[in-house]
Amino acid sequence: MSEGNVRVRFAPSPTGYPHVGNIRTALFNWLFARHSGGKFIVRIEDTDQSRKVEGALESILDSLRWLGLDWDEGPEVGGDFGPYFQSERLDLYHKYVLQLLDGGHAYKCYCSPARLAQARAQMAERKESMRSYDRHCRDLIPEEQARSEAQSITSVIRFKAPLDGQTTFHDLIRGDITFDNSELDDLVLLKSDGYPTYHLANIVDDHIMEISHVMRADEWVSSTPRHVLLYKALDWEPPLFAHLPMILGPDKSKLSKRHGATAVTEFRGQGYLPQAMLNFLALLGWSLDDKTEIFSREELVQYFAIERISKAAAVFSHDKLRWMNGVYIRDMSAEELTEQLLPFLEKDLPVEVKRPISREYVRQLVPLIQERLTTLGEAADLFGFFFVDKLFYNTELLLGKKLTRGTAVAGLEAALTRLEDQSFVAASLEEALRALASELGLKTGEFFGLLRVATTGRTATPPLFETMAVLGKDTCLKRIERALEKLRNNPKEPVPV
Ligand code: GLU
């Protein structure tokens, strides 16, 4: 197949919010399509009506859009092979089910749920639990079948899987994979409500939509021999398969809520950048050379290759994602970061902070905070003191490890006087306050620590003098006065000033 004929698909079921694993699958398909000049198709597998979740489709498409994974065919954009919702393609599935029935590859099954449960229990007892159906209806004689039909007993249509032998398929990542046919069920193709099962709809669509490569999560490996048998029964050539490695949490168990956020939309909400998320997801199971970590979108497209996808499970490290996000935050222009921060600050700063938040003020802060941010969502918490009126901290914080209350009071009083006529430019603030520390006989570390807590309420902040310059004289003097009151009036009590 020439590379230009690559047609790959992302085939989500709208049954929940997209897990990073789903989106990693979408990303690998997208990268492969863009790398090979092929097509990336989004197909919505919505045949299980009972598992449909309101809002799931929007959230899946939103996640793709957020990451810039544009699709050539699918919802909203259409295409020559539509519709791209399986629930709108039922006639097509019926047509091929009939073909399978006619060819003797499928049969009607009239078993009631109660009989199925009983058969399952008996098989489990006989330790045949690999399969879930005892094939009771597989060889019904015509009279029995006619009787069931006459009584209008609801039926499903099942695939007639081979009883022995083996099925092998080649996986582009894992090599040849062989299953014993005796392990395979006579799986349901068409349910009693007329909807196809995943297996039928999936292979019909992959064939009709001319999908060249099926790249999907490894949980589908065990379905693949069944699919291969179905392709054979329909006399179709199967696509190529590539099953992506599993994603584990740092404790090596399957990635789940327990490990923290897993929905892509949650990461967006916490202030991860799409370019960082894209880079991070690309490295979950793919690498260029086992050492390069930072890739632009263009580089990923350029270098992506199925041969570089690993067989081994990938580990999702939130720490690494945070680190990577920090790298991308530092790489932004000040204007861009200002734009991105504004909505987070609007949303996260305490209600008493006046809205709208001033863009100019945020732009002034950006050079101070850019180095220190790992997510946009942290900004309100780490740098809220630039915006709020009141600071909340304990008196002990002012004193740090060494200062006595008396020295602190004397220090802050002297600072107040000195700062009154001081120009609030970082360099001259530093000069003045260094001189003052030595006049007072205080270590600069201790004195500056005291001023830092008094003016910001925190012990870790951007550089003190730049911070004070941005806060401005009024705010700094007011805050130092409040710190003094706090030290004088509430010698023990840690209360807000
Ligand atoms: N609808 C399936 C899913 O949600 C698609 C699996 C496949 O790609 O074949 O994962």
Side-chain angles (χ1 to χ4, degrees), residues 9 11-13 22 45 198 202 206 214-216 220:
R9 78 328 188 251
S13 304
N22 301 120
E45 302 209 325
Y198 153 73
N202 190 268
D206 282 346
V214 165
M215 220 185 292
R216 61 184 168 198
W220 300 105

Side-chain angles (χ1 to χ4, degrees), residues 100 105 166-167 227-238:
L100 288 166
H105 297 293
Q166 290 186 322
T167 300
H227 296 180
V228 168
L229 290 167
L230 273 168
Y231 280 107
K232 202 157 140 206
L234 285 161
D235 220 1
W236 291 341
E237 187 67 32

Side-chain angles (χ1 to χ4, degrees), residues 165-208:
Q166 290 186 322
T167 300
T168 298
F169 68 91
H170 182 72
D171 186 283
L172 294 172
I173 298 168
R174 300 160 159 228
D176 284 348
I177 301 182
T178 300
F179 283 80
D180 283 334
N181 291 340
S182 59
E183 287 174 23
L184 308 179
D185 253 322
D186 280 359
L187 46 89
V188 175
L189 301 174
L190 198 69
K191 296 178 279 185
S192 54
D193 61 4
Y195 277 86
T197 54
Y198 153 73
H199 303 286
L200 177 72
N202 190 268
I203 68 115
V204 167
D205 285 346
D206 282 346
H207 177 74
I208 300 289

